[in-house]
Amino acid sequence: MQIEIKIDDSCTEPRMIIITNKVDNEINSIIHTLSSTAPELITGFYNDLAEILSPEDIIRIYAEGGKIFASVNKKEYLLRQRLYELEEQLTKYSFVRISNAEIINLKKVCNFDLSLSGTICVTLSDNTTTYVSRRYVPKIKQVLGI
């Protein structure tokens, strides 16, 4: 892909032109990225207070008792988004789903224990131990390159 930037003092608003022979997944991804102008914020609730959570600080997001929680700095924040929405939003921040009920931040993983047959034990930076469900083991191995 070639990128060209032209500086024009008479231009009052940025304009983008994409010249291509066909619209493919790469072009659609660029269009989607450029058109989503609203910042994607994650708001967590702790002790009746709403706080903006930084994706880099989130260790894991999990479902329990019909609610969604995020672990951040030894606090458990209640989230109002659905797990699949959070998974889509956080993929670019190195989050990966390890079960139907949990997403983890790969940057907060201390180690993966592959000695168990059929599953993987994950130790996170807050000393939480969790497990990759059998269904997601191939995906995690692919992410890890093993």
Side-chain angles (χ1 to χ4, degrees):
M1 175 186 315
Q2 298 177 9
I3 298 174
E4 182 179 331
I5 299 175
K6 292 183 180 180
I7 307 296
D8 184 353
D9 293 333
S10 64
C11 182
T12 59
E13 183 178 348
R15 180 179 68 181
M16 299 198 76
I17 299 171
I18 298 173
I19 301 171
T20 184
N21 63 342
K22 64 179 179 177
V23 176
D24 57 11
N25 288 339
E26 182 182 25
I27 299 298
N28 284 329
S29 176
I30 292 169
I31 291 169
H32 177 72
T33 301
L34 294 173
S35 63
S36 59
T37 57
E40 296 179 5
L41 300 175
I42 298 176
T43 304
F45 295 87
Y46 185 80
N47 290 339
D48 297 326
L49 296 175
E51 295 182 34
I52 303 298
L53 304 179
S54 173
E56 294 84 11
D57 294 335
I58 298 173
I59 297 168
R60 70 185 187 121
I61 297 173
Y62 62 96
E64 187 176 285
K67 296 180 179 179
I68 306 297
F69 297 93
S71 294
V72 181
N73 299 327
K74 300 189 182 195
K75 291 182 183 177
E76 303 299 316
Y77 290 88
L78 178 64
L79 304 179
R80 293 199 175 147
Q81 292 144 295
R82 298 184 188 277
L83 206 54
Y84 74 89
E85 294 170 337
L86 291 161
E87 179 184 18
E88 290 174 8
Q89 183 178 351
L90 294 171
T91 299
K92 61 187 168 206
Y93 295 102
S94 299
F95 280 76
V96 66
R97 186 180 282 259
I98 61 167
S99 71
N100 283 339
E102 190 168 4
I103 302 167
I104 61 169
N105 184 346
L106 289 173
K107 293 178 181 174
K108 299 290 185 176
V109 172
C110 290
N111 61 59
F112 292 94
D113 183 357
L114 304 172
S115 65
L116 301 171
S117 68
T119 189
I120 299 172
C121 179
V122 182
T123 304
L124 300 167
S125 62
D126 64 350
N127 290 324
T128 301
T129 301
T130 188
Y131 296 88
V132 177
S133 71
R134 292 180 191 269
R135 177 180 174 193
Y136 291 92
V137 167
K139 180 181 178 182
I140 295 300
K141 285 186 174 183
Q142 180 183 11
V143 168
L144 297 176
I146 53 175

